[in-house]
Amino acid sequence: MDRLSELPDSLIFHIFWSLPMTDVVRTTILSKRWKNLWTTALCLNFDNDAMNFDDDRELQNFVNRALLRWNGVRLLKFKFNLGYKVKSVYQNDGSMYLGTDLWVQFATNKEVEEFYLHIRLPKDWDDDFDSMDDIYYVPQCVYSCSSLKVLSFEDCNFRVYGNVQWNQLKSLTITYGFGVTEHLINQILCGSPRLEVLIMSFVDVGEHLCIRSTSLKVLSIHKFFCSREDLWWDSELRICTPNLETLEIGGVPYRKSMLVNISSLTNATLGFSGLHGYEFDGNESVFPWMDTKLGLFTKDDFLGDVFCQFLSTMQHVVNVKLMFCCIKVLGAMIKRCMNSSYPNVKSLELRYCFSDYKLLVGLLESFPQLKKLVIVCSGGYGTHENRESLNFDAKSYLKFEAYPPKSFLQLRTVVVTWDEDDDVFPFLEYLLKYAINLEKMVVNVKGIMPPQLPSKSLFLASQKLLRMPRSSPTAQLVFCEY
């Protein structure tokens, strides 16, 4: 029995989408029914990371031949990924191949619904291009393609002549976008009345960004590195999205932020790592002007203030993630949030270095109704240097030995991903001692190869925790490897 020939077209096309196009073409030998089936496939995936064409001409010829043989009526999904080969869109004399633009036009003419245009620059791209104009521009036909529902760009340049006509678009992702200005974002939002998901990763939109939309439900902004003082010092972020449910803000923070009418927001992720993540040799900051401008108000104080500023406007948020919380930033947060309370937060996730667990206990004072706590140890992010330079005495703020945080009385679940560079056990011991309603504690420990053998770290962690006293008689301890 030829079971391959009996598979429904929908399942076969799903298989095609999961394979690079070179393998899809090879499926013609599997059965008689599959011989020309790919030529009517609803999904075409030209991912050169998987096809592995080393010669630019071979890649161009393969794509051209495949599209010439395709005789379907319309496309549901189309993906084109050059994969670190930006030069492959150029001739030796510097002129551009017509291939890329024609392939994009082919997809839009077939009323594509999901379109992934990933050009993906090499790491040394700034040494290969004289200006931003050398980076691939999204063709104008894309902006007028009204059939689009899911759209993803990577390493593309943007310039719109006319209006954006994405009447059906539900999801838009821009990664490492160039020419992404506040005006472009406004054009996109005005031309996308049904847009529900907007993700901008490593995108620098300049000094101002205003997001106004009644349709957005998910918004993610990861601002790219910006070293110009005049742009950053006056930078401002405004968000007015009454139906927004999930918000992620990361990268280099804006100097000022204003969140208006976000009553539907329930999930928030904050991860401002930009001021710590970019350093030259000798620990010279990429932002030397910031130290002068801020004066005694240090970068850590500023980041702590940014965290608290966002949290204070998120009164309806239930699930919160705070990423890259080094000890100095956490200390700054405690000083600013010690009189604040976030009673609606039921789940809190932290990426934190356990150089001083007392600071973490102090922060939990602000979350009295916490039911779930997830901690991912960052392993060395903010170690001895940060501990020694902490500019205030945490003990003066934390009298937790006599008065444990109210959140400890509500906690039901704790999940900890442990890095051996962090001493998380004092915190877990204190938590087991006072979390009277704890139901489960999950400890993830980095495993070893082969995976079927338990690691020494897992054994030591389990033995140490099992010996600790527990105030909750029903608390379960679960140990896992990752």
Side-chain angles (χ1 to χ4, degrees):
M1 182 179 297
D2 185 2
R3 294 184 177 180
L4 286 177
S5 296
E6 294 181 354
L7 294 177
D9 288 354
S10 58
L11 178 57
I12 297 175
F13 291 158
H14 180 75
I15 295 174
F16 286 172
W17 178 246
S18 303
L19 296 174
M21 203 61 199
T22 47
D23 290 339
V24 171
V25 174
R26 295 187 182 105
T27 61
T28 57
I29 65 173
L30 295 180
S31 71
K32 292 182 179 180
R33 180 168 173 261
W34 284 46
K35 185 175 182 179
N36 295 310
L37 190 60
W38 73 269
T39 61
T40 59
L42 299 175
C43 308
L44 301 178
N45 182 6
F46 296 97
D47 186 352
N48 198 40
D49 282 351
M51 295 190 297
N52 295 320
F53 279 103
D54 294 326
D55 184 80
D56 304 336
R57 291 285 189 175
E58 290 183 5
L59 172 62
Q60 185 194 23
N61 292 335
F62 173 79
V63 177
N64 287 336
R65 290 197 305 269
L67 295 183
L68 285 173
R69 288 199 60 189
W70 190 87
N71 56 10
V73 178
R74 60 190 300 268
L75 278 173
L76 290 181
K77 301 179 182 180
F78 186 90
K79 181 177 182 180
F80 180 66
N81 178 13
L82 276 177
Y84 301 108
K85 291 185 179 293
V86 175
K87 292 181 179 179
S88 64
V89 299
Y90 291 92
Q91 301 273 19
N92 293 331
D93 59 0
S95 61
M96 184 180 295
Y97 283 154
L98 295 177
T100 307
D101 288 342
L102 288 178
W103 301 335
V104 173
Q105 188 174 6
F106 173 88
T108 56
N109 288 341
K110 298 300 181 181
E111 299 181 343
V112 63
E113 295 184 4
E114 294 188 24
F115 188 29
Y116 303 84
L117 182 58
H118 298 173
I119 303 301
R120 299 183 63 182
L121 299 175
K123 294 182 180 180
D124 56 347
W125 68 270
D126 52 343
D127 298 329
D128 298 329
F129 298 99
D130 296 329
S131 69
M132 289 297 179
D133 289 336
D134 292 331
I135 300 173
Y136 182 73
Y137 275 96
V138 176
Q140 295 301 307
C141 62
V142 175
Y143 303 115
S144 59
C145 183
S146 59
S147 61
L148 289 168
K149 295 182 179 179
V150 177
L151 188 55
S152 176
F153 299 106
E154 186 170 339
D155 288 328
C156 292
N157 216 338
F158 297 88
R159 183 183 295 163
V160 182
Y161 300 104
N163 298 323
V164 175
Q165 302 175 23
W166 293 337
N167 300 326
Q168 304 296 323
L169 192 65
K170 294 293 187 69
S171 175
L172 172 62
T173 301
I174 302 176
T175 305
Y176 289 109
F178 300 87
V180 181
T181 63
E182 183 182 24
H183 178 65
L184 176 70
I185 297 301
N186 289 334
Q187 285 181 294
I188 290 175
L189 293 177
C190 291
S192 310
R194 299 185 181 183
L195 188 64
E196 297 181 356
V197 179
L198 175 59
I199 300 174
M200 296 184 290
S201 300
F202 301 100
V203 174
D204 187 2
V205 296
E207 54 184 323
H208 298 297
L209 177 60
C210 181
I211 304 292
R212 294 181 180 272
S213 173
T214 57
S215 61
L216 275 182
K217 295 182 179 180
V218 177
L219 174 62
S220 177
I221 303 173
H222 191 107
K223 184 172 170 59
F224 190 53
F225 160 77
C226 174
S227 60
R228 286 183 56 185
E229 174 184 357
D230 58 334
L231 290 181
W232 181 85
W233 195 254
D234 294 326
S235 63
E236 184 175 4
L237 172 65
R238 290 176 175 265
I239 298 176
C240 182
T241 49
N243 295 309
L244 192 68
E245 299 174 357
T246 300
L247 175 64
E248 297 182 5
I249 306 289
V252 179
Y254 287 84
R255 182 67 182 87
K256 300 176 183 178
S257 300
M258 181 178 296
L259 277 63
V260 182
N261 194 5
I262 53 171
S263 57
S264 300
L265 189 65
T266 56
N267 308 296
T269 299
L270 305 176
F272 303 105
S273 60
L275 302 185
H276 291 281
Y278 300 96
E279 293 184 348
F280 294 125
D281 293 337
N283 294 324
E284 179 185 356
S285 175
V286 172
F287 301 88
W289 44 266
M290 185 176 291
D291 296 320
T292 303
K293 282 281 188 178
L294 293 178
L296 296 177
F297 190 63
T298 66
K299 288 179 288 188
D300 303 298
D301 291 327
F302 169 69
L303 286 178
D305 188 66
V306 170
F307 275 113
C308 293
Q309 181 182 1
F310 273 98
L311 287 175
S312 63
T313 61
M314 300 177 179
Q315 298 300 322
H316 302 280
V317 172
V318 176
N319 306 304
V320 174
K321 293 182 182 181
L322 303 179
M323 321 300 281
F324 305 109
C325 291
C326 75
I327 185 172
K328 291 197 291 184
V329 174
L330 195 60
M333 287 182 62
I334 293 175
K335 288 193 292 184
R336 286 162 174 75
C337 299
M338 59 182 302
N339 295 322
S340 302
S341 179
Y342 311 105
N344 291 319
V345 176
K346 301 297 190 296
S347 175
L348 176 64
E349 179 175 338
L350 291 171
R351 288 187 179 270
Y352 175 64
C353 174
F354 278 90
S355 49
D356 192 337
Y357 78 96
K358 302 170 187 176
L359 291 175
L360 178 56
V361 176
L363 180 66
L364 295 180
E365 290 276 6
S366 301
F367 303 93
Q369 299 298 321
L370 198 61
K371 295 291 192 298
K372 182 178 181 179
L373 177 62
V374 179
I375 298 175
V376 180
C377 299
S378 57
Y381 184 80
T383 51
H384 297 289
E385 294 179 0
N386 284 331
R387 290 202 298 268
E388 294 172 358
S389 60
L390 194 63
N391 56 9
F392 76 103
D393 183 7
K395 293 183 180 179
S396 63
Y397 293 92
L398 309 173
K399 300 179 181 179
F400 53 82
E401 288 295 345
Y403 305 99
K406 292 182 180 180
S407 59
F408 275 40
L409 305 179
Q410 304 295 330
L411 269 177
R412 299 294 192 272
T413 305
V414 175
V415 180
V416 177
T417 300
W418 177 48
D419 189 294
E420 293 186 6
D421 293 333
D422 283 303
D423 187 8
V424 69
F425 295 104
F427 172 75
L428 297 182
E429 183 177 14
Y430 181 79
L431 192 149
L432 289 172
K433 181 179 179 181
Y434 289 104
I436 60 175
N437 293 309
L438 186 66
E439 298 174 356
K440 179 184 291 187
M441 177 183 290
V442 180
V443 180
N444 298 311
V445 182
K446 187 174 182 180
I448 60 174
M449 297 297 291
Q452 63 268 21
L453 297 178
S455 68
K456 183 179 180 180
S457 298
L458 179 64
F459 175 77
L460 294 176
S462 61
Q463 293 300 309
K464 194 168 186 176
L465 287 172
L466 288 172
R467 289 195 297 265
M468 294 179 182
R470 283 171 264 178
S471 59
S472 173
T474 60
Q476 297 181 347
L477 296 181
V478 180
F479 303 93
C480 305
E481 286 188 335
Y482 68 95

